[in-house]
Amino acid sequence: MFLTGGLKSLLPHVLRRIIRCNRLSISNTSGMAEGYKQANVVILPKSLADDFEKFCHANAGPLPLLYRSKPGDWKCPSLSSDSDIRTDCLQYRIYEHGACTGSLKSLKEYSEQLKDMVTFYLGCSFSFEKAVQNAGITVRNVEQKCNVSMYKTAVPCYSISTFCCNLVVTMRPIPESKLEAAVLATSQLKEAHGAPIHIGDPGLLGIQDLSKPDYGDPVHLHPGDIPVFWACGVTGVEAVISCRAPLAFTHSPGCMFITDLKNDHVTVRSSKEVPQVHCVSQDPLHYSVVSAEAAQKIKNLETLIGIDPGDRGIIHLHRQDELLKACLSISHARSVLITTGFPTHFTYEPPEENDGPPGALAIAAILQALEKEVAIVTDQRAMNLNKKIIEEAVQLGILKRPVPLLSYQRESADSALTFLCENGNPGRPRFDHLIAIERAGMAADGNYYNARKVNIKHLVDPIDELFLAAQTIPGVTTTGVGDGGNELGMGKVKDAVKKHIKNGDVIACDVEADFTIVAGVSNWGGYAIACALYILSACEVHDRYLRKAVGFPQLSKKMVWLSALPSVTKEEKLLKTLVRHGVRSGKTASLEMEVDGLPFYNTHSLMIEKLL
């Protein structure tokens, strides 16, 4: 019997010969024939072969198709010179009508049945392990001399005919400081599943317990390791089970077919392809992936909106990359709640200013185009005004359809939790992300102040409580957009507000958001969020990560997303609508075409053009 000692340096054809002779005392092929591609194997009746091939193309992340044989052909000349699929895997599984009925070392006894069957060779993550090691990262399953951990997820694959199953993933623990290197090392190895599809909490994939893999062995995390998940070819095994074929075969998970093909060495990269990794949530721990090109475009937007036309000192409130991280978090959200409304003009009716609503509607419009659920919560006294504005925004083509309008009142200690979660259960939140844009924020003394230090608490409903409650609900993140430091969410920069903003010691909002976007005018922050969400959606690296490498790219919807973005024409019409309803400029209380005392033409219109 051969032991594991020098197997990693043996050539593939030698290894196959040893496997064929049944002379190996190992349970998996991880780390063997370093630098050569390994393959998952699925063998199906020829009547199912065309549908399975379509299923592979529809789910290319878990099922990168390396080769499809002709019926009864046991060789794969494009992958190996002298192979026989009946004998060249360490172990096989047999499936009858969707049930695994045993495992075996050879398929020779089924040679007659195999004459009417087609073999599919699918890429395997063992193929990228050498690339990961070359990036200076220890592959824990190799280090621990065990099979990789494989898990069934709650993520559905794109179904084709009778092939209908959920994604299977492998997990490899990666030190946090090496996450980006691991993504970079694997992202171009498309035939070995490419980049990870999830980084962070396994529960977000529906995996309950990392110590209990569905296939393979438990792999132990070292302190500082983050679980990183790649799409896995064992998804093909789940597909075989789902189709309930009278007879089918697969490799035993971890017992791969070793090919003669060397792993690709891809060095030429554009910034469209180079991935970046960003943490978007601590509870549950969740990282997102985006291309360097898209990230830079969003950073440019952040710089554009960060100018200070009112000389308020907001440059001191700026926190780098908050727009990028906020929008990555929103991109992962299923349902978003937006709030706006700053009743600074307490002597007028309505007291609202016109900074806030346009930005809020710009965000709502792109969220609708991205097919996310979106609602707006505002003051009870302003419900009718906001209802009219939303109706007219639909007529103007700014929104595809009306946005549900909600109000919040504190009736008990649990009111905020009950509002945000089904039956007040933190495990079932109604919203994944809350956005406040130019929304009056509660100061440390419990009051709400405009920039001139006037207390306007009597006009403000306690929507801050929703943001405070969100801090206690796992999986719910928050963003605050402001231009003066007294807006909801600006508590994250309150020390800078107190130090650098006029009246900041009194007016500073005390309530934090996870992400704080500071803009010269808050509406600009809303426009920038809309543009950043478009950039992320059009980013192939981020799109693949969002859909977990199953199904097809969403880029065909690009024109729908583009049409939802703000434009000078749309915002001009919306500002005229606000003026008609008596909603005034923040700084001057003017009912002219201006926001925060700055003229729409040649200031706001120019900013919109620059952002686009």
Side-chain angles (χ1 to χ4, degrees):
M1 297 286 276
F2 282 82
L3 298 174
T4 56
L7 290 177
K8 67 179 183 179
S9 58
L10 286 181
L11 290 172
H13 73 275
V14 178
L15 270 171
R16 287 196 303 272
R17 201 174 303 147
I18 296 168
I19 290 169
R20 201 176 299 157
C21 298
N22 195 17
R23 294 172 68 193
L24 278 179
S25 59
I26 58 172
S27 61
N28 67 82
T29 56
S30 174
M32 292 170 63
E34 273 188 351
Y36 287 88
K37 290 180 182 175
Q38 299 194 29
N40 297 271
V41 174
V42 171
I43 306 174
L44 288 165
K46 63 183 180 185
S47 60
L48 294 171
D50 287 349
D51 280 343
F52 186 71
E53 183 173 346
K54 289 174 189 168
F55 183 72
C56 292
H57 292 314
N59 299 282
L63 303 171
L65 184 55
L66 302 180
Y67 184 75
R68 171 187 168 168
S69 79
K70 293 187 171 73
D73 187 357
W74 302 322
K75 301 190 182 305
C76 50
S78 65
L79 302 183
S80 61
S81 56
D82 63 343
S83 61
D84 184 335
I85 197 54
R86 298 172 301 169
T87 56
D88 289 3
C89 291
L90 271 176
Q91 192 175 63
Y92 302 85
R93 284 187 177 180
I94 179 170
Y95 290 86
E96 296 175 88
H97 301 286
C100 180
T101 54
S103 57
L104 51 168
K105 292 281 189 183
S106 167
L107 299 181
K108 277 198 164 180
E109 64 185 282
Y110 291 95
S111 294
E112 196 57 38
Q113 292 94 323
L114 287 168
K115 287 177 181 175
D116 286 319
M117 302 183 84
V118 173
T119 302
F120 291 86
Y121 300 80
L122 306 160
C124 168
S125 64
F126 287 170
S127 304
F128 68 51
E129 288 179 339
K130 184 63 178 172
V132 171
Q133 289 169 332
N134 288 343
I137 303 165
T138 302
V139 178
R140 298 281 184 228
N141 56 291
V142 175
E143 176 189 59
Q144 295 168 27
K145 295 184 170 60
C146 63
N147 200 351
V148 72
S149 303
M150 292 163 265
Y151 304 89
K152 300 175 187 178
T153 72
V155 178
C157 290
Y158 188 98
S159 297
I160 299 286
S161 186
T162 56
F163 295 103
C164 177
C165 68
N166 284 359
L167 175 68
V168 176
V169 293
T170 57
M171 186 282 293
R172 288 171 175 81
I174 305 289
E176 186 174 23
S177 62
K178 303 273 189 178
L179 288 176
E180 208 158 89
V183 177
L184 191 62
T186 57
S187 62
Q188 290 298 299
L189 301 176
K190 302 283 194 288
E191 292 187 343
H193 306 301
I197 57 91
H198 178 66
I199 303 172
D201 193 304
L204 294 171
L205 292 176
I207 299 167
Q208 301 308 315
D209 188 346
L210 282 182
S211 70
K212 296 175 181 174
D214 295 292
Y215 302 99
D217 300 320
V219 177
H220 303 294
L221 279 75
H222 289 205
D225 281 352
I226 306 294
V228 180
F229 299 86
W230 279 265
C232 175
V234 175
T235 303
V237 173
E238 293 296 307
V240 166
I241 293 168
S242 76
C243 79
R244 303 178 68 85
L247 181 67
F249 304 97
T250 70
H251 68 294
S252 279
C255 301
M256 302 300 166
F257 175 82
I258 299 169
T259 79
D260 293 339
L261 300 183
K262 286 207 162 185
N263 282 319
D264 308 313
H265 289 286
V266 183
T267 50
V268 180
R269 291 173 178 271
S270 72
S271 59
K272 274 186 181 177
E273 297 171 318
V274 174
Q276 292 184 359
V277 177
H278 296 273
C279 185
V280 294
S281 169
Q282 288 293 337
D283 183 20
L285 187 62
H286 189 197
Y287 295 80
S288 190
V289 176
V290 62
S291 74
E293 179 186 62
Q296 187 56 53
K297 285 179 180 177
I298 293 169
K299 291 177 184 188
N300 293 344
L301 296 179
E302 188 174 60
T303 302
L304 275 175
I305 64 171
I307 61 170
D308 189 2
D311 269 342
R312 298 181 186 181
I314 64 161
I315 191 167
H316 301 290
L317 314 186
H318 180 76
R319 297 291 178 272
Q320 195 172 358
D321 293 343
E322 291 284 283
L323 177 64
L324 174 60
K325 290 175 187 174
C327 290
L328 283 169
S329 178
I330 296 165
S331 182
H332 283 275
R334 170 191 50 84
S335 179
V336 179
L337 181 68
I338 302 171
T339 184
T340 190
F342 207 122
T344 190
H345 302 304
F346 55 94
T347 60
Y348 291 95
E349 181 54 43
E352 267 67 32
E353 65 166 295
N354 58 17
D355 189 18
L361 293 181
I363 297 168
I366 192 68
L367 292 175
Q368 285 185 339
L370 294 171
E371 298 173 22
K372 298 183 186 293
E373 293 176 27
V374 57
I376 292 175
V377 60
T378 191
D379 302 297
Q380 180 63 48
R381 58 162 187 78
M383 288 288 278
N384 285 337
L385 171 65
N386 280 283
K387 188 166 181 266
K388 288 173 188 169
I389 293 167
I390 288 169
E391 285 171 354
E392 293 196 36
V394 174
Q395 290 166 15
L396 293 170
I398 293 167
L399 295 172
K400 277 201 301 187
R401 57 188 173 277
V403 178
L405 196 58
L406 312 171
S407 66
Y408 168 76
Q409 300 294 325
R410 179 187 173 87
E411 291 165 2
S412 71
D414 296 329
S415 289
L417 206 57
T418 304
F419 184 95
L420 292 174
C421 304
E422 290 180 32
N423 301 318
N425 177 1
R428 300 185 68 189
R430 291 190 176 96
F431 308 100
D432 310 302
H433 200 105
L434 277 56
I435 303 172
I437 174 166
E438 192 64 22
R439 169 72 196 174
M442 186 171 65
D445 64 3
N447 292 316
Y448 297 80
Y449 295 96
N450 67 13
R452 292 177 292 282
K453 236 176 15 177
V454 177
N455 184 3
I456 52 172
K457 184 176 182 177
H458 62 291
L459 295 170
V460 183
D461 289 346
I463 289 169
D464 304 66
E465 293 180 7
L466 302 180
F467 280 66
L468 291 169
Q471 295 171 8
T472 69
I473 305 169
V476 179
T477 42
T478 57
T479 294
V481 183
D483 57 17
N486 56 345
E487 301 90 358
L488 176 52
M490 293 289 123
K492 188 172 181 180
V493 293
K494 64 185 176 185
D495 291 340
V497 174
K498 290 172 183 175
K499 186 175 179 182
H500 297 288
I501 302 295
K502 185 180 178 182
N503 301 324
D505 56 328
V506 174
I507 70 172
C509 175
D510 203 49
V511 181
E512 290 190 25
D514 295 307
F515 309 105
T516 299
I517 296 167
V518 178
V521 177
S522 292
N523 281 342
W524 299 353
Y527 303 152
I529 288 173
C531 293
L533 289 172
Y534 168 77
I535 290 166
L536 290 176
S537 301
C539 168
E540 291 181 27
V541 169
H542 184 66
D543 168 71
R544 181 186 185 275
Y545 189 78
L546 269 187
R547 59 186 170 83
K548 310 287 188 283
V550 297
F552 298 100
Q554 299 292 298
L555 303 179
S556 58
K557 298 175 181 173
K558 212 168 173 180
M559 293 311 295
V560 175
W561 305 333
L562 261 177
S563 66
L565 290 177
S567 69
V568 172
T569 304
K570 283 184 196 172
E571 297 310 307
E572 180 184 26
K573 289 176 181 175
L574 182 57
L575 187 53
K576 286 178 178 176
T577 297
L578 293 174
V579 168
R580 199 171 66 251
H581 286 293
V583 181
R584 298 168 183 271
S585 173
K587 203 169 181 180
T588 63
S590 164
L591 279 173
E592 300 297 325
M593 289 293 286
E594 64 170 57
V595 178
D596 272 357
L598 302 167
F600 178 80
Y601 305 105
N602 297 326
T603 300
H604 300 288
S605 61
L606 281 180
M607 177 57 71
I608 294 163
E609 287 172 353
K610 285 178 184 174
L611 290 170
L612 293 170

